[in-house]
Amino acid sequence: MREGIKKAKDKLELNVDQESQKLQEQLDREGERIKKEIQDAEKESNTKQADLQERMKKETSARLKELEKEMRESRERYEQACREERQEADSNLRELKKENTKVREKLEGGLRVMNNEIQEMLASIRTQKDENAKKIKELSDHFDGIVKRFENVTATADCILAAQNDWTDVQCIPDVCRAVDLLREEVKRDSPGLDNLSGMKIRELSAGVSARGKVGISEDVESIVDLHIREEIYSTTDITGNEDGTIVITGSTSAFQPCIAVITMGGSQQQQNILPGTGGYSGRCSFLSQYLIAVICGGNQVGLYDIRNQSRRFIRLSDVIMNCPTNQQVRCVTTDPVNDRIIVGCYSRDVHVFNSKLEHVKTLELPDAVKQAYHIAMYKSDLFVCGSSGTDRAFAVTMKQPASEVKYEFTKPTHGGSNGFPLCVCTDQNGYIYMLWRAWGGRSLIVQYTKDGGQIKLEREVDRTHDVRAITAVQTKQGEKLLLPTYTTNKLLTYGLTYPMM
């Protein structure tokens, strides 16, 4: 029994040792495997880390290159913008210097003119002074002679009074009385001019230097007056005025006859006459001089109307223009008083030029962009043209022969101008341009443009209740005004031109 127990014990220990050894060997193998896996994992991790670092390095390098490119492009754009800004600033500065030079030259020129005028006035004053001093000296000598004659008369009278009825001396009394009467009349006749010799005749200075450069239009209409015309005008198509403030309108009567009327600012009629032509064709007009008005009417007639004696003379285009189409009709008229020219637009691209004798001077062809001239105005060497009805374009063109050229196109107004058309154009004494635009739907706009370039300065909307189709600038006692006659209601609207303080 004991031996059996001992054997079992020894076998148990042997088994334990064997199992322990097996477990230890298994543990060692697992440890080696795990260690190898750890090493492989570390190696793989290191490889991936190296790959990641390399990829990040490449991506960082690429991104850096992109950023550098963007920075370079941004820097180039910035430098280009700076160059453009500098160029624009330099250009603006040059234009400003040029404009300032023009203003300075204008002011200096005005100052020179004024200085010359003042020098002429001073010379005139000195001349008047010398002449008046000479006349005063002559009058003084003359009155000294009169005083001596009075002294002689007084001495003679004293002698007569002391004669104590001596008949010889008393006989001299009638002669003494006559001498006294003559002296009295002579004093009365010569002395009135004495007061005038102390004064000077000085003419007013001309406007050598003008501080008024900017012109605006009054916010609202200043006045609306009724036209009191004998033969009521059914439709008013044009208006013009001269430097004296004389206003002339043309249109057609209720009997569809073209007519012309001279009116006042208050709407009173001074003259009215029927023009040649029938069929309801309304006339157009423009002052050529202080008294002469260029008029078109009757389809193809051009004439002059004299407001002094209401005389008129007309010609037909076909009578004075070689190869003129017999059916060519006139449509608008303007004048160039400086060069003594009448410019007539037609229902075509032809523009005919006449002188004040109604002699044909030349014919021009408007540029292709202008299909027909609906209304025209002349300022210096530029012809302003409103396109024919139904178009929405207006131009400034040259007067070159045989074909004129477009200098610039007028900007369309912002209020309804995109779907409207120009009706009428005029200029003020400062050279600013005013155009009457009609938007579809009946709304009318007064648009003021710059002196050159056709850029809009301001816009004024006319009350929709007034159908206006003509505009002109007229000098009045209250300053320059814009006048707009209504088309069929015989009213006259007045807008003021304002000059802001400099």
Side-chain angles (χ1 to χ4, degrees):
M1 179 61 84
R2 288 183 179 177
E3 288 181 2
I5 292 172
K6 184 178 178 182
K7 285 180 180 179
K9 183 179 180 181
D10 291 339
K11 189 177 181 178
L12 176 61
E13 289 179 357
L14 179 61
N15 289 336
V16 169
D17 290 339
Q18 289 177 349
E19 290 297 327
S20 295
Q21 187 176 358
K22 287 180 181 180
L23 290 173
Q24 185 63 45
E25 290 175 356
Q26 185 179 357
L27 178 63
D28 291 340
R29 285 194 304 272
E30 268 314 301
E32 289 298 329
R33 185 183 65 78
I34 291 173
K35 187 183 293 184
K36 186 176 182 304
E37 287 182 358
I38 291 173
Q39 290 175 351
D40 291 342
E42 288 179 352
K43 185 177 180 181
E44 183 180 359
S45 176
N46 291 335
T47 301
K48 289 183 177 180
Q49 185 175 359
D51 292 342
L52 181 61
Q53 288 178 346
E54 183 66 22
R55 188 168 66 252
M56 290 179 62
K57 183 178 180 181
K58 289 181 180 180
E59 290 179 354
T60 302
S61 177
R63 181 58 180 161
L64 183 60
K65 289 181 180 179
E66 289 181 2
L67 291 174
E68 288 177 348
K69 182 181 179 182
E70 290 178 0
M71 290 178 63
R72 186 168 56 254
E73 292 175 350
S74 297
R75 184 166 57 253
E76 290 175 355
R77 288 196 298 270
Y78 172 74
E79 291 175 352
Q80 178 65 21
C82 289
R83 284 194 296 271
E84 292 176 356
E85 288 284 345
R86 283 195 296 271
Q87 290 174 358
E88 184 177 359
D90 292 341
S91 176
N92 291 337
L93 183 59
R94 286 193 298 272
E95 289 297 324
L96 182 61
K97 288 181 178 178
K98 188 185 297 184
E99 186 67 25
N100 287 341
T101 300
K102 290 181 181 178
V103 172
R104 186 177 67 252
E105 290 176 351
K106 180 180 179 181
L107 292 175
E108 289 175 349
L111 188 60
R112 285 193 297 271
V113 171
M114 185 174 291
N115 181 64
N116 292 336
E117 289 186 5
I118 290 176
Q119 294 304 319
E120 292 175 359
M121 291 168 65
L122 290 175
S124 174
I125 289 173
R126 286 192 293 268
T127 301
Q128 290 184 59
K129 175 188 174 183
D130 294 340
E131 291 177 354
N132 290 354
K134 182 179 179 180
K135 291 178 181 178
I136 290 174
K137 178 67 167 58
E138 292 174 353
L139 284 175
S140 176
D141 294 341
H142 177 69
F143 280 112
D144 286 343
I146 291 176
V147 169
K148 289 180 179 179
R149 288 164 62 187
F150 265 113
E151 290 176 348
N152 291 335
V153 169
T154 302
T156 302
D158 290 341
C159 290
I160 292 174
L161 293 175
Q164 294 182 352
N165 298 326
D166 186 342
W167 181 249
T168 303
D169 292 327
V170 172
Q171 288 180 335
C172 296
I173 292 177
D175 294 333
V176 172
C177 290
R178 281 192 296 272
V180 171
D181 291 338
L182 287 173
L183 287 175
R184 185 182 294 111
E185 291 298 325
E186 194 169 357
V187 170
K188 288 180 180 181
R189 183 176 63 252
D190 293 334
S191 58
L194 185 60
D195 292 337
N196 296 331
L197 295 177
S198 62
M200 295 288 175
K201 295 179 180 180
I202 305 174
R203 62 181 174 85
E204 293 184 0
L205 280 172
S206 63
V209 181
S210 177
R212 301 194 303 180
K214 299 179 179 179
V215 183
I217 305 175
S218 59
E219 288 285 346
D220 301 308
V221 62
E222 287 188 349
S223 65
I224 302 174
V225 299
D226 293 320
L227 299 181
H228 304 286
I229 300 175
R230 181 183 69 253
E231 184 75 28
E232 186 171 303
I233 295 180
Y234 176 73
S235 61
T236 302
T237 54
D238 208 359
I239 184 170
T240 185
N242 64 9
E243 296 178 352
D244 296 336
T246 302
I247 306 166
V248 175
I249 59 174
T250 52
S252 62
T253 67
S254 55
F256 302 106
Q257 295 175 302
C259 65
I260 186 170
V262 181
I263 60 173
T264 66
M265 284 290 294
S268 299
Q269 172 190 304
Q270 293 181 324
Q271 298 177 23
Q272 185 179 16
N273 285 283
I274 302 299
L275 299 175
T278 57
Y281 184 88
S282 301
R284 303 270 185 167
C285 56
S286 180
F287 265 99
L288 178 63
S289 64
Q290 185 177 4
Y291 303 111
L292 290 179
I293 304 158
V295 182
I296 60 170
C297 60
N300 64 351
Q301 298 192 57
V302 181
L304 286 171
Y305 180 89
D306 194 327
I307 61 175
R308 290 172 296 186
N309 53 19
Q310 304 184 44
S311 63
R312 69 213 79 167
R313 185 167 72 91
F314 285 87
I315 59 170
R316 295 181 183 274
L317 293 185
S318 55
D319 293 339
V320 294
I321 301 176
M322 295 287 292
N323 302 320
C324 179
T326 56
N327 62 345
Q328 187 170 76
Q329 293 188 336
V330 293
R331 189 167 199 178
C332 48
V333 64
T334 188
T335 53
D336 180 7
V338 175
N339 296 305
D340 188 39
R341 292 293 182 262
I342 303 168
I343 301 97
V344 178
C346 300
Y347 280 81
S348 66
R349 288 166 53 203
D350 289 340
V351 173
H352 303 299
V353 181
F354 301 86
N355 60 22
S356 58
K357 297 179 181 179
L358 295 180
E359 297 171 338
H360 181 247
V361 178
K362 60 182 178 180
T363 295
L364 305 175
E365 187 178 35
L366 293 173
D368 292 339
V370 187
K371 304 305 179 185
Q372 293 180 10
Y374 185 77
H375 194 272
I376 55 178
M378 189 78 187
Y379 184 75
K380 294 184 177 178
S381 61
D382 294 337
L383 181 67
F384 305 129
V385 183
C386 294
S388 59
S389 180
T391 65
D392 60 351
R393 306 176 73 183
F395 302 89
V397 302
T398 64
M399 291 290 286
K400 293 181 179 179
Q401 197 175 12
S404 63
E405 299 174 354
V406 173
K407 292 189 67 175
Y408 56 84
E409 182 174 355
F410 286 93
T411 304
K412 299 173 186 176
T414 56
H415 296 86
S418 59
N419 62 351
F421 55 93
L423 277 176
C424 188
V425 61
C426 69
T427 60
D428 65 15
Q429 63 182 0
N430 289 276
Y432 287 106
I433 306 162
Y434 302 87
M435 196 171 293
L436 186 63
W437 284 76
R438 170 64 59 86
W440 300 116
R443 181 172 58 180
S444 298
L445 294 172
I446 304 172
V447 182
Q448 182 193 47
Y449 292 92
T450 54
K451 298 179 182 180
D452 50 5
Q455 300 303 311
I456 293 176
K457 285 178 62 64
L458 56 84
E459 301 174 10
R460 291 283 183 268
E461 183 174 352
V462 181
D463 191 329
R464 289 172 183 257
T465 58
H466 300 296
D467 181 7
V468 291
R469 305 188 185 185
I471 186 172
T472 192
V474 175
Q475 185 66 37
T476 70
K477 293 180 180 179
Q478 291 76 34
E480 200 166 14
K481 306 290 183 181
L482 289 178
L483 304 183
L484 296 87
T486 57
Y487 186 55
T488 58
T489 57
N490 286 314
K491 295 183 183 296
L492 183 65
L493 280 63
T494 302
Y495 285 83
L497 295 183
T498 59
Y499 299 86
M501 297 299 293
M502 301 297 289

